[in-house]
């Protein structure tokens, strides 16, 4: 991880569970140039603002942890909002990174992108081999869109945008609200 020490790193979604963990780890690694903005400071659903921010700040690395997330009940009640917000955030950040020649882009997806009844252990080739879990479909589709956008930029433009698919997570800064949480 010494690679990151002298890089200018932008963490999108730094207030969330995953983003705050990434931020803590970057600080532990003594990365010198870390920056972030709250949702109020930068609306990642607005491409013009996102692109302007990336152009002005010129990060070497963008780590995208940003997104609209919740548990099963939240996903069932808000599939359109989840799909739209996450799709906009991902495509806007990826496109802004590309247009501004950001050397490294790391996209965090979710293991929920895989089919409901995926063979275990899950392998990459199982993606899109069947339908996702219906209660999570909006979120899963938005995460698949982000993964495929990175894949297509890599293929078409020779980029090396990396996608990581963590398994189900919980921990510090998680949401423990009874209606919206991931974890009971």
């Amino acid at each position: 991880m010494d690679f990151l020490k002298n890089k200018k790193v932008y963490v999108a979604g730094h207030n969330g569970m995953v983003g705050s963990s990434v931020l803590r780890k970057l600080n532990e690694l003594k990365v010198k140039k870390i920056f972030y903005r709250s949702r109020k400071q930068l609306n990642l659903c607005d491409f013009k603002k996102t692109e302007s921010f990336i152009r002005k700040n010129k990060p070497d690395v963008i780590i995208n942890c940003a997104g609209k997330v919740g548990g099963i009940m939240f996903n069932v009640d808000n599939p359109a909002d989840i799909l739209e917000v996450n799709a906009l955030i991902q495509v806007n950040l990826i496109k802004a990174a590309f247009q501004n020649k950001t050397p490294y882009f790391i996209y965090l997806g979710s293991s929920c992108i895989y089919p409901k009844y995926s063979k275990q252990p899950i392998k990459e080739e199982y993606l899109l081999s069947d339908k996702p879990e219906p209660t999570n479909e909006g979120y899963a589709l938005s995460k698949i869109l982000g993964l495929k956008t990175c894949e297509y930029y890599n293929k078409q433009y020779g980029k090396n945008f990396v996608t990581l698919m963590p398994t189900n997570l919980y921990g510090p800064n998680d949401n423990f609200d009874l209606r919206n949480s991931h974890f009971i």
Side-chain angles (χ1 to χ4, degrees), residues 45-116:
C45 291
D46 183 322
F47 178 71
K48 286 183 180 183
K49 290 179 182 175
T50 302
E51 192 280 328
S52 175
F53 174 78
I54 298 301
R55 183 174 6 96
K56 179 182 172 189
N57 290 284
K58 298 181 182 10
D60 298 306
V61 180
I62 296 173
I63 302 175
N64 181 14
C65 307
K68 188 173 190 81
V69 298
I72 293 172
M73 186 175 291
F74 183 78
N75 291 341
V76 168
D77 292 344
N78 302 281
D81 293 343
I82 290 168
L83 177 71
E84 180 181 4
V85 169
N86 287 316
L88 286 170
I89 288 170
Q90 291 148 31
V91 171
N92 288 345
L93 275 171
I94 294 165
K95 185 175 180 180
F98 172 73
Q99 287 185 350
N100 290 282
K101 298 177 176 54
T102 303
Y104 303 99
F105 187 91
I106 300 169
Y107 169 68
L108 291 175
S110 171
S111 62
C112 77
I113 65 173
Y114 290 96
K116 179 178 181 174

Side-chain angles (χ1 to χ4, degrees), residues 10-15 35-39 41-42 53 57:
Y10 168 53
V11 179
H14 73 284
N15 280 323
F35 65 104
Y36 43 85
R37 296 294 182 273
S38 70
R39 188 176 295 139
Q41 294 171 310
L42 176 61
F53 174 78
N57 290 284

Side-chain angles (χ1 to χ4, degrees), residues 12-44:
H14 73 284
N15 280 323
M17 179 183 62
V18 174
S20 63
S21 294
V22 167
L23 198 56
R24 279 192 304 278
K25 188 64 177 178
L26 291 171
N27 283 315
E28 283 175 22
L29 294 170
K30 300 195 185 330
V31 175
K32 295 174 185 154
K33 303 172 197 166
I34 305 167
F35 65 104
Y36 43 85
R37 296 294 182 273
S38 70
R39 188 176 295 139
K40 288 181 182 178
Q41 294 171 310
L42 176 61
N43 179 0
L44 295 172

Side-chain angles (χ1 to χ4, degrees), residues 111-123 126-135:
S111 62
C112 77
I113 65 173
Y114 290 96
K116 179 178 181 174
Y117 296 110
S118 228
K119 287 188 237 175
Q120 300 296 316
I122 295 174
K123 296 181 181 178
Y126 299 163
L127 182 64
L128 299 174
S129 63
D130 206 346
K131 295 178 183 179
E133 163 62 47
T135 61

Side-chain angles (χ1 to χ4, degrees), residues 17 70-72 169-171 174-178 180-184:
M17 179 183 62
I72 293 172
L169 305 169
Y170 67 94
D174 200 353
N175 172 7
F176 295 103
D177 180 270
L178 291 177
N180 300 332
S181 67
H182 290 103
F183 190 72
I184 300 172

